Every structure is written in structure tokens, then in C-alpha cells.
Amino acid sequence: MSDEPTRDQESLPAQSTDTGEVIGHRRGMFGATNGADTSGYGGLVRTVRLPGPTQRPYGSYFDEVADELEGALEEQELDPAQVIEKTVVDRGEVTFHIAREHLLAVCRTLRDDPALRFEYCTGVSAVHFLEDTGRELHAVYHLRSLTHNRIIRLEVSAPDADPHVPSVVEVYPTNDWHEREAYDFFGLVFDGHPALTRIMMPDDWQGYPQRKDYPLGGIPVEYKGAQIPAPDQRRSYT
């Protein structure tokens, strides 16, 4: 039997071969640092690792998308190496990590270029990595091309001290409420959003509840005369 790769094998997405970027270690089930681990997993130690960049060829349609995006950026006199910080293929999906100041230009290019035509953004989600110093807040955009039946992701990061990223509502209007939700829960400020207000929490709420450094808190609940304390005040198993 020939050892030459088949067409199906050639089309499979690549996977990053390095071990990624280790940004920290987390102890216990929830990463509590004040000794109040109530989960019973106080001895659990996990490595916090972000995927590293993937080397070409990426496989699948990812190379074609990357080539077209880089070519379109060059036509706009933008340096792709300055715009795309890294490209990651992980678990069969591709993510382009974009410098936040170039996010709008990339979104317009992905939407309007006939060879790309990512017409639809299904939303933006946010992640807070306390250990990722200088880029603790990440915004992840999920894009779909209805023309070419393709899916990609964009990711931008911002520090806690300067949580600003451009709003993409003028390019993808469907992101209006998604950006408000990311602002409400993570404190990401989407510059240029038409009405960046809280969407779930009360307008006078203090802080951003889904950040990793947000206090657990708790609401006293009475159950047959017993009071349930806040999570960080319950019995510790360590």
C-alpha cells in the first residue's frame, strides 16, 4: 500500500504541535487562593495553558482563508504580521488572533471580500484569564460564511487596566446585544457601540460578575431554620 497521503488526509486540519503557552497554575476546583476551598478538591493542581501558534499548512479550507485575508490586508497597506498576532488550529477549528486596533478592518475585509464573504457573526463571547498578564480579557467572535459554508473565529485581548476593544456593530449589527452582555458580565468596553448599557444586571450594579476576581458573595437563604452561608464562608475540606 502506498504511503502517500490521500486527498482526505491532506484536507484534515493541522494541530498545534507545541505544548502551548503556560500562563499559570490553578489549585483546587475553582482556583480559590484564600484557603476557602469547599469543593473537596483542594489538592488538585491544574496547568493553565493557552494553545500556541500552528505552523502551515493548516489544512482544510483554513490556508485558503488565511491567504486571502493576508492578501486583502496587504492591498489595504496593512502588514499582516502586525494585524494577525497568531493563527491557532485546535480541535479542528481555526482562530485568528487579531490586534485589537485592527479588528474593524479585519471584520470588514472578512465580510466584503468575495473570496471570504463571512457575512454573519453569530456573537461575541468573553473570557477572563487572571494569569494572562497584560491581556487578561479576551473577546471571541464566531463568524460564518453562508456563501462558502465556512466557520472561523477571531480573538482579541485587552488588559484589565485598559479593557477597550472596538465595537463591530457597524459591520455586524447582530452583535449589539452580545457586546452589551460581554460588557455587563466582564467589563469589556466596546468603543463605538450605539448604546453600551447593562443588559442583565441592574444599571447600578457594582462590578462584573463573571470576572475571575469577582467576589463569590451569596444571598442568605433560610431552610427549615438553617442559614446557608456565602460560598467562601462554608466549611473548608482542606
Side-chain angles (χ1 to χ4, degrees):
M1 179 180 292
S2 172
D3 292 330
E4 291 296 320
T6 66
R7 180 180 297 274
D8 289 340
Q9 290 172 327
E10 289 176 340
S11 66
L12 290 175
Q15 296 294 329
S16 179
T17 55
D18 69 32
T19 56
E21 179 184 359
V22 176
I23 61 173
H25 296 85
R26 190 168 296 163
R27 297 183 178 275
M29 180 63 74
F30 305 111
T33 57
N34 59 0
D37 184 357
T38 62
S39 66
Y41 289 88
L44 178 65
V45 180
R46 292 175 292 164
T47 300
V48 182
R49 179 183 286 109
L50 300 180
T54 304
Q55 302 302 315
R56 297 260 200 167
Y58 303 137
S60 187
Y61 53 80
F62 304 156
D63 290 280
E64 184 179 343
V65 171
D67 290 340
E68 185 62 34
L69 176 58
E70 291 172 7
L73 292 173
E74 289 174 349
E75 290 178 1
Q76 301 173 50
E77 299 184 352
L78 294 172
D79 182 0
Q82 298 296 320
V83 175
I84 305 172
E85 296 175 338
K86 67 177 179 179
T87 301
V88 176
V89 178
D90 189 55
R91 295 171 176 83
E93 299 177 322
V94 64
T95 303
F96 297 98
H97 291 251
I98 306 299
R100 56 177 171 167
E101 62 269 22
H102 296 297
L103 177 61
L104 269 177
V106 170
C107 285
R108 288 195 190 97
T109 301
L110 289 169
R111 183 193 64 181
D112 297 339
D113 190 292
L116 295 169
R117 292 297 292 157
F118 285 90
E119 311 98 329
Y120 182 41
C121 180
T122 60
V124 58
S125 53
V127 189
H128 189 211
F129 291 107
L130 274 176
E131 304 91 345
D132 198 8
T133 306
R135 50 184 188 184
E136 293 87 357
L137 290 164
H138 292 239
V140 184
Y141 301 81
H142 312 266
L143 305 183
R144 179 182 291 273
S145 170
L146 304 179
T147 300
H148 303 296
N149 191 25
R150 293 172 172 176
I151 299 173
I152 63 170
R153 283 201 300 257
L154 304 180
E155 185 168 335
V156 298
S157 60
D160 277 343
D162 181 27
H164 291 262
V165 298
S167 170
V168 302
V169 169
E170 65 178 80
V171 182
Y172 296 114
T174 53
N175 256 35
D176 188 333
W177 285 14
H178 294 274
E179 289 183 0
R180 286 179 59 194
E181 184 178 27
Y183 162 71
D184 194 0
F185 289 141
F186 290 91
L188 271 167
V189 179
F190 294 91
D191 295 327
H193 188 283
L196 193 63
T197 57
R198 291 191 182 271
I199 193 169
M200 298 291 288
M201 308 302 292
D203 289 338
D204 59 352
W205 192 267
Q206 298 296 312
Y208 307 101
Q210 289 191 358
R211 284 198 183 189
K212 293 295 192 301
D213 54 358
Y214 188 80
L216 290 174
I219 300 175
V221 178
E222 183 175 336
Y223 180 72
K224 292 187 176 180
Q227 292 287 336
I228 300 177
D232 57 352
Q233 298 172 5
R234 298 173 191 166
R235 181 178 62 176
S236 176
Y237 291 89
T238 56

